Amino acid sequence: MSLVEPRYQDYSCSQNAPLNCEQLKLTAEQFPKAKFCLECGFPAILPEKAEIKGSRGTYQITKFLGSRGMGRLYSGVKIDDSLPVVIKEYLLPSRSFNTEEATQRQETFVRVAGVSSVDGKNQDFRLITPYEAIADRQGDRCYTITKGNLEASQTLSQYLREKAAMKGDQVREVLNQALQTLQFLHSQKFRLPSGQVQQNLLHGNISLDSLLIVQNNPQYLTIYLCNLAVWERLFEPPLAQSSIPSVSLDLNDLGRVAFYLWVGRAVDSSSQPLDPRDTQQWPSSDPELKQFIYRLIGLETPFESAEEARQALLQLKKEKQADSAATIVNTEQKEKGFRIPLILLGLLVLLLLSGGIWYIFFRHSSKVDENSSEFAQLVPTFTDVNNVPLGNFIYTGEKKGTWSNILKFRPSSDSSLEKLFIHPKGQNTEFKYNPVSSYDDLKSSEPIESLEKKQFDFTMTSLEDQVTGDLDKLQIAYDGLLVFVPFSKKDQNLPKALDGHISLEKLRKIYTGQVTNWDQLGGPNLLIKPLAPTEPEAVRQFQKIVFKDDEQQIAQYKKTVSQQLTEETQQQIVTQFDEGEAGIISYGILSKTWNQCAGYPLAIISDDEKSAATQALFRLNNQPINPSDNICDKRNLLDVGTFVNKRYPLGYPLFVIYRKDNSVMPAAYKFAEILKTREGQCLLSKAGLVPLQYIPNNYLNSNDCKSVPQP
């Protein structure tokens, strides 16, 4: 990992920076046509209006921007259409390279400088790659051309010089985005300009100068990777010593970048690279992040892959949680004498006097504040998501499934979610939904199999157990099942008789025919009529969670249960109970069962003997619903915490699934990113999914989830 300007020992530059020293700039000002620096003889800066001819066009230099890595940057234009480009000039000066060495490196350069997805689609995985690579066969230079101005963005090295240290949450975001890109590079197939296909591309050159930062909004940053070693190191002088690219090198170097960003500098007082082993250098605000970076650098148990590292990063506690813990510890250490016991005694008395109020109000409000802050950190709206690829993308899901039902939801009278999600970023990008149906045996998912056959760009599903090694997933929300019984107005009704809950063991007995009358479970003398919904994913999840995929029990389940639409069950359930015909019990996906009151959703007891019943629905006072509540008043909410913390036994994640072959990963990733904005999470919550984090009431009470002040 390089922290200094590349050294050309054959050139006596007084500043040891021949690519971009002050004498070089002075030479360009005094002698615009000079070919060499007047001080050391190093190749001079290209003059303005100089032209470079390539196979895809001719480019004109407009301004020298500076140096980065092994080359110099210039702004320019493509002459035939006046579109802006960034030109990077690489040098093979004659004192450092003989003619044969220079020729070989130029030939290699045009074969490897640039990568693209194997299917040729325009992909955005936040890696700066050249539009064209040019070798000047008559001279000592090579060039890369990139469209637009992105490659001229600020490096993290420049960011440190201008703004000093990053906060812990900013470092986490840099790591998150960089690891996403590395995960993609390390696992996909790419085509080089020569036509050669390469699997598992390594960056090999991670540093503060090879990561670019774009901040159009102070609250959000985007990280791009550039300067891949496969072409960048062709221009290192022959005697230079470089590390061999590897997955571990990429991760180690990224860890050091994170360390420098967090500390706010990359070198010590003697201009040597800052040593992460020096514990005095580290901030004390986020021990979880420090431990993660230690592993990334390799000072503790190293990660085996970028994917493993990123998953560990996403599971870290939030920085403010660590800060709070540290503050408590520091406060305790500073207190002297009897001050702590007196304070603790006072607090204890206060808590005893106001325990009920504290539990209902303060505990809930502090939880809301913490989670509201997490929600506030999300990208606000669809239009704020950057780098959404252009084109038409077709994705799929189960025809009788959660996503098909979600898309029917109408947040406003004139627009469904399906319509909103077709063009979330304007007419130039289209996400069209084309659902398919699985076979009745549920042994396989047709949407997932169709994706594997490359019939669709990505799919929406909860069946993560059927995701093969060729596929990957991005979670966008939680789904689940509610088990419900008649919510009759009679005094003696099933929810009250069951105390509002049922265990997985009792569900197994009901749905395999071992229990056939409600009086066997403490209810009225009434026949149990077990029903199942028609959504294949719901049935598959029920069999997996309740029966644990036991084939004998599933076979008995199929003999015992009748299937019908959840809507039909809801129409029949109260009437059949009130008339003494049968006591229906059924289950269904959240979006069809959470916001109705014909069936009462029972709390669920897992197979853990010590576990309590967990209710998915909560009232506005943050208390679980109970059989005495009038749940028809629509004052119910799906409790986010029970799903995020995996306390609700019948909850499970909902994913965007995509192929790892890099063909449309950015499209799938960007669609997931759109759904994970504040606008997207709000809309999904209204439609009957559980968001990835708590959503403040001002969003849930809004009409469009978009024009809401930031919480």
Side-chain angles (χ1 to χ4, degrees):
M1 177 173 171
S2 175
L3 294 174
V4 297
E5 190 80 15
R7 298 185 178 184
Y8 295 86
Q9 296 180 357
D10 298 301
Y11 293 86
S12 302
C13 177
S14 59
Q15 298 179 25
N16 197 29
L19 287 175
N20 189 20
C21 74
E22 292 303 318
Q23 188 62 45
L24 191 69
K25 297 175 185 176
L26 185 61
T27 298
E29 292 174 1
Q30 295 178 351
F31 305 95
K33 295 183 180 181
K35 293 185 177 181
F36 303 100
C37 173
L38 296 179
E39 179 190 60
C40 69
F42 196 78
I45 297 171
L46 294 173
E48 292 183 9
K49 297 186 178 180
E51 294 185 1
I52 301 167
K53 293 184 179 180
S55 60
R56 306 182 73 173
T58 300
Y59 312 92
Q60 186 178 72
I61 297 228
T62 57
K63 184 180 180 181
F64 173 62
L65 300 175
S67 64
R68 191 187 67 215
M70 293 303 303
R72 298 168 178 156
L73 294 179
Y74 304 83
S75 60
V77 295
K78 190 168 180 279
I79 292 178
D80 60 351
D81 54 17
S82 298
L83 291 178
V85 296
V86 174
I87 301 165
K88 187 167 185 179
E89 172 199 25
Y90 294 98
L91 296 140
L92 296 163
S94 59
R95 296 183 196 174
S96 300
F97 302 88
N98 61 39
T99 302
E100 183 179 356
E101 289 171 339
T103 300
Q104 289 178 347
R105 296 186 185 218
Q106 285 183 326
E107 290 175 351
T108 303
F109 175 73
V110 295
R111 292 200 306 267
V112 302
V115 294
S116 60
S117 58
V118 293
D119 59 5
K121 290 188 176 181
N122 181 25
Q123 301 298 312
D124 168 35
F125 42 90
R126 297 196 302 276
L127 177 70
I128 306 295
T129 58
Y131 168 69
E132 181 174 7
I134 303 169
D136 181 4
R137 305 291 186 179
Q138 306 302 317
D140 53 6
R141 308 178 196 233
C142 291
Y143 309 94
T144 57
I145 311 296
T146 56
K147 291 184 175 181
N149 298 311
L150 189 58
E151 191 175 12
S153 300
Q154 186 180 47
T155 67
L156 288 180
S157 180
Q158 293 167 334
Y159 178 96
L160 275 186
R161 289 196 294 269
E162 293 183 13
K163 299 186 179 180
M166 281 187 171
K167 296 180 180 178
D169 59 344
Q170 292 175 303
V171 175
R172 287 174 182 240
E173 184 58 27
V174 170
L175 286 169
N176 180 38
Q177 294 189 29
L179 284 169
Q180 285 176 334
T181 305
L182 289 180
Q183 178 183 343
F184 190 63
L185 288 177
H186 293 172
S187 61
Q188 305 303 318
K189 291 181 180 180
F190 298 91
R191 180 172 286 110
L192 301 178
S194 63
Q196 177 186 356
V197 174
Q198 183 166 333
Q199 178 82 35
N200 304 334
L201 189 64
L202 300 168
H203 189 287
N205 196 32
I206 298 288
S207 73
L208 289 169
D209 286 324
S210 64
L211 272 69
L212 309 181
I213 181 171
V214 177
Q215 279 190 293
N216 297 323
N217 184 319
Q219 290 185 322
Y220 305 104
L221 57 86
T222 306
I223 299 298
Y224 293 87
L225 276 64
C226 61
N227 299 4
L228 261 67
V230 66
W231 64 79
E232 188 85 3
R233 289 188 176 174
L234 291 172
F235 303 93
E236 292 181 344
L239 296 180
Q241 295 182 352
S242 300
S243 302
I244 299 175
S246 65
V247 170
S248 61
L249 178 66
D250 281 351
L251 298 181
N252 294 168
D253 285 347
L254 180 60
R256 290 180 182 274
V257 165
F259 170 60
Y260 299 145
L261 290 174
W262 201 15
V263 173
R265 57 198 176 98
V267 295
D268 58 21
S269 56
S270 58
S271 297
Q272 294 300 311
L274 208 60
D275 188 356
R277 294 178 179 83
D278 183 358
T279 57
Q280 299 300 316
Q281 302 291 348
W282 290 84
S284 60
S285 59
D286 193 343
E288 291 256 339
L289 179 58
K290 177 182 177 182
Q291 187 77 12
F292 175 83
I293 296 176
Y294 256 58
R295 291 190 62 189
L296 206 59
I297 293 174
L299 298 179
E300 293 188 2
T301 307
F303 296 109
E304 294 184 0
S305 67
E307 180 178 9
E308 180 190 2
R310 182 167 178 266
Q311 291 304 316
L313 176 69
L314 297 176
Q315 293 172 12
L316 297 184
K317 293 179 181 178
K318 296 298 181 184
E319 180 181 8
K320 60 189 174 183
Q321 293 174 323
D323 287 345
S324 298
T327 301
I328 293 172
V329 171
N330 291 335
T331 302
E332 290 175 350
Q333 292 174 342
K334 292 178 181 178
E335 295 294 348
K336 303 293 182 180
F338 295 100
R339 188 177 178 185
I340 291 178
L342 290 174
I343 293 175
L344 291 177
L345 180 61
L347 288 174
L348 179 61
V349 172
L350 179 63
L351 289 174
L352 290 173
L353 291 174
S354 58
I357 297 174
W358 178 88
Y359 183 83
I360 294 175
F361 177 74
F362 178 77
R363 178 175 176 269
H364 174 58
S365 61
S366 63
K367 176 182 176 183
V368 168
D369 289 342
E370 177 183 340
N371 291 328
S372 295
S373 176
E374 183 179 348
F375 181 72
Q377 295 175 13
L378 300 180
V379 175
T381 68
F382 297 166
T383 56
D384 293 306
V385 176
N386 296 322
N387 305 310
V388 176
L390 305 180
N392 298 324
F393 303 96
I394 302 177
Y395 70 107
T396 191
E398 195 67 56
K399 192 169 186 177
K400 295 180 180 179
T402 289
W403 194 251
S404 295
N405 191 61
I406 290 296
L407 291 182
K408 296 176 183 176
F409 176 73
R410 305 181 73 86
S412 61
S413 59
D414 60 347
S415 181
S416 65
L417 287 189
E418 182 171 13
K419 183 178 179 181
L420 288 177
F421 291 159
I422 287 179
H423 298 292
K425 283 281 290 185
Q427 298 299 316
N428 292 328
T429 299
E430 178 178 280
F431 294 103
K432 186 176 181 181
Y433 184 61
N434 186 4
V436 294
S437 297
S438 294
Y439 300 108
D440 293 336
D441 60 11
L442 297 175
K443 292 182 179 179
S444 61
S445 166
E446 185 63 22
I448 293 178
E449 288 189 351
S450 298
L451 179 64
E452 291 174 325
K453 296 174 184 176
K454 301 186 178 182
Q455 296 173 357
F456 298 98
D457 293 327
F458 56 91
T459 189
M460 313 294 293
T461 184
S462 63
L463 302 182
E464 61 177 313
D465 58 331
Q466 297 190 27
V467 175
T468 66
D470 295 329
L471 303 177
D472 212 339
K473 60 192 178 184
L474 297 163
Q475 185 179 351
I476 53 93
Y478 292 91
D479 195 11
L481 305 173
L482 295 182
V483 175
F484 57 94
V485 293
F487 189 52
S488 173
K489 295 182 180 179
K490 289 186 175 181
D491 292 335
Q492 184 63 29
N493 61 27
L494 279 179
K496 290 182 179 179
L498 298 173
D499 289 330
H501 60 72
I502 195 167
S503 67
L504 292 182
E505 178 60 28
K506 290 178 180 178
L507 283 176
R508 278 192 285 272
K509 291 180 178 180
I510 290 174
Y511 276 90
T512 55
Q514 298 177 57
V515 173
T516 58
N517 196 296
W518 285 111
D519 62 5
Q520 295 175 263
L521 301 177
N525 180 16
L526 189 63
L527 179 70
I528 296 177
K529 185 177 180 180
L531 296 177
T534 56
E535 291 84 13
E537 289 177 7
V539 175
R540 179 72 188 91
Q541 292 287 2
F542 188 84
Q543 293 176 354
K544 181 172 67 172
I545 298 170
V546 177
F547 299 121
K548 301 179 181 178
D549 283 335
D550 185 293
E551 293 186 2
Q552 292 184 341
Q553 291 190 16
I554 291 175
Q556 194 60 39
Y557 162 90
K558 292 179 179 179
K559 295 179 181 178
T560 305
V561 174
S562 298
Q563 276 189 295
Q564 70 176 25
L565 295 172
T566 299
E567 295 88 344
E568 293 181 8
T569 300
Q570 291 166 346
Q571 292 173 2
Q572 303 167 0
I573 191 168
V574 174
T575 301
Q576 289 195 15
F577 179 84
D578 286 347
E579 294 179 356
E581 182 179 342
I584 292 175
I585 184 171
S586 189
Y587 63 92
I589 56 177
L590 295 180
S591 55
K592 286 191 175 184
T593 55
W594 80 282
N595 201 24
Q596 53 79 45
C597 61
Y600 179 89
L602 297 171
I604 304 297
I605 301 175
S606 71
D607 286 324
D608 182 357
E609 295 180 358
K610 298 180 180 180
S611 67
T614 302
Q615 176 57 253
L617 282 182
F618 272 50
R619 303 292 282 169
L620 292 182
N621 63 1
N622 200 40
Q623 297 299 304
I625 64 170
N626 66 71
S628 300
D629 290 328
N630 176 23
I631 63 172
C632 294
D633 61 9
K634 305 294 184 180
R635 297 173 64 85
N636 311 308
L637 298 171
L638 285 163
D639 184 54
V640 176
T642 61
F643 286 83
V644 172
N645 297 322
K646 300 181 180 179
R647 294 196 303 268
Y648 184 64
L650 297 180
Y652 44 84
L654 184 64
F655 298 100
V656 173
I657 308 293
Y658 60 92
R659 293 187 299 277
K660 288 183 178 179
D661 62 5
N662 91 351
S663 56
V664 289
M665 181 274 186
Y669 176 79
K670 289 299 177 180
F671 188 72
E673 194 173 330
I674 286 168
L675 297 179
K676 290 192 286 186
T677 60
R678 294 206 292 267
E679 180 183 1
Q681 292 287 283
C682 173
L683 289 170
L684 294 182
S685 180
K686 285 174 175 266
L689 291 175
V690 179
L692 298 174
Q693 61 289 300
Y694 172 83
I695 298 181
N697 286 337
N698 62 327
Y699 266 79
L700 295 177
N701 295 332
S702 67
N703 292 325
D704 61 4
C705 289
K706 183 184 298 184
S707 56
V708 184
Q710 180 172 323

